[in-house]
Amino acid sequence: MSSRTRRTRRTVVTSGVAALVAVTGLGLGAAPAHADPVPPTITCDPARDVYWDDIVSVRVEPTITDFLAVAIVPGTTGSYTKTLSEVTSVSTTVNSSVEIGTEFKAIFAKVSVKVGFSVSDSQSTTRTTTISETVNFNSPGYYGLYRGTRKVTGQWVRYVCARAGSTGYWINTSPNGPGSFTTFDVPELGTVSCAHPETPGSLRAAARARLVC
């Protein structure tokens, strides 16, 4: 993701606050612990089979990456351009490394299937130089401008097809335990207000919690 200034324009209405993307708590929480998955067969074809990957566990966590609290008092409504402050960042990693090779794309494809939305499968980060929003406030209140994403973490296993004569056998590449990964959903910009509750477990609820209403 390139570093650049991002600017959007939205209107905060009296009856509520419009979100750019509706986010639900789909997939929140860690999957139940279980033994590492194994390939469906003991043998493999070394001329055709290379890897067999599977996801051991996955967790989805709404994460606010940039935020700004704004207090609008009576008589001060109108259009404002505000710059958000970075509070955290999320980067795509495999085994804590940000170098993501093409051989790991299959892992992230399986992660996307498990969580129900597309995740980053290449070297990327939510960090940018500046996040600015132009917002029109038409009602007094305490607001939060946010940028965030759904952070996805978990564990994975990989088997390789090792030749033994004319036959191959699946060999666990991590006999000491599964590998780890971190990735994220497409970032979202939005506005929340103390005057309006949000769906528990959602990204917007995580942003509203920062207002300490």
Side-chain angles (χ1 to χ4, degrees), residues 56-74:
V56 177
S57 65
V58 64
R59 179 180 178 85
V60 180
E61 179 183 5
T63 302
I64 303 302
T65 58
D66 304 86
F67 188 80
L68 179 69
V70 181
I72 302 297
V73 299

Side-chain angles (χ1 to χ4, degrees), residues 17-110:
V17 184
L20 295 184
V21 180
V23 178
T24 70
L26 176 67
L28 289 176
H34 54 76
D36 291 355
V38 295
T41 60
I42 296 176
T43 60
C44 53
D45 183 353
R48 182 190 62 191
D49 300 322
V50 180
Y51 302 122
W52 186 88
D53 298 322
D54 208 353
I55 307 305
V56 177
S57 65
V58 64
R59 179 180 178 85
V60 180
E61 179 183 5
T63 302
I64 303 302
T65 58
D66 304 86
F67 188 80
L68 179 69
V70 181
I72 302 297
V73 299
T76 64
T77 57
S79 182
Y80 299 86
T81 298
K82 299 290 186 179
T83 299
L84 283 66
S85 298
E86 183 182 80
V87 293
T88 190
S89 64
V90 182
S91 298
T92 305
T93 65
V94 172
N95 296 340
S96 300
S97 173
V98 297
E99 299 297 326
I100 308 298
T102 57
E103 71 272 21
F104 294 118
K105 287 186 178 292
I107 294 173
F108 291 117
K110 289 191 174 184

Side-chain angles (χ1 to χ4, degrees), residues 4-199:
R4 63 183 184 274
T5 299
R6 297 189 175 186
R7 179 166 296 178
T8 60
R9 178 178 293 275
R10 287 177 292 107
T11 299
V12 178
V13 296
T14 304
S15 60
V17 184
L20 295 184
V21 180
V23 178
T24 70
L26 176 67
L28 289 176
H34 54 76
D36 291 355
V38 295
T41 60
I42 296 176
T43 60
C44 53
D45 183 353
R48 182 190 62 191
D49 300 322
V50 180
Y51 302 122
W52 186 88
D53 298 322
D54 208 353
I55 307 305
V56 177
S57 65
V58 64
R59 179 180 178 85
V60 180
E61 179 183 5
T63 302
I64 303 302
T65 58
D66 304 86
F67 188 80
L68 179 69
V70 181
I72 302 297
V73 299
T76 64
T77 57
S79 182
Y80 299 86
T81 298
K82 299 290 186 179
T83 299
L84 283 66
S85 298
E86 183 182 80
V87 293
T88 190
S89 64
V90 182
S91 298
T92 305
T93 65
V94 172
N95 296 340
S96 300
S97 173
V98 297
E99 299 297 326
I100 308 298
T102 57
E103 71 272 21
F104 294 118
K105 287 186 178 292
I107 294 173
F108 291 117
K110 289 191 174 184
V111 172
S112 294
V113 171
K114 278 191 174 290
V115 299
F117 55 85
S118 296
V119 300
S120 173
D121 64 357
S122 59
Q123 184 175 342
S124 57
T125 179
T126 60
R127 178 164 289 169
T128 60
T129 302
T130 304
I131 300 294
S132 294
E133 290 191 72
T134 300
V135 184
N136 185 49
F137 297 99
N138 64 6
S139 178
Y142 193 37
Y143 299 92
L145 311 183
Y146 73 91
R147 180 175 182 262
T149 187
R150 288 182 284 186
K151 178 181 179 180
V152 183
T153 56
Q155 295 179 314
W156 62 283
V157 292
R158 167 167 289 177
Y159 287 75
V160 296
C161 186
R163 182 183 292 275
S166 60
T167 306
Y169 293 90
W170 290 114
I171 303 297
N172 190 340
T173 62
S174 303
N176 296 324
S180 63
F181 64 83
T182 300
T183 183
F184 57 92
D185 191 9
V186 176
E188 167 190 322
L189 279 166
T191 308
V192 291
S193 168
C194 273
H196 303 280
E198 302 292 346
T199 303

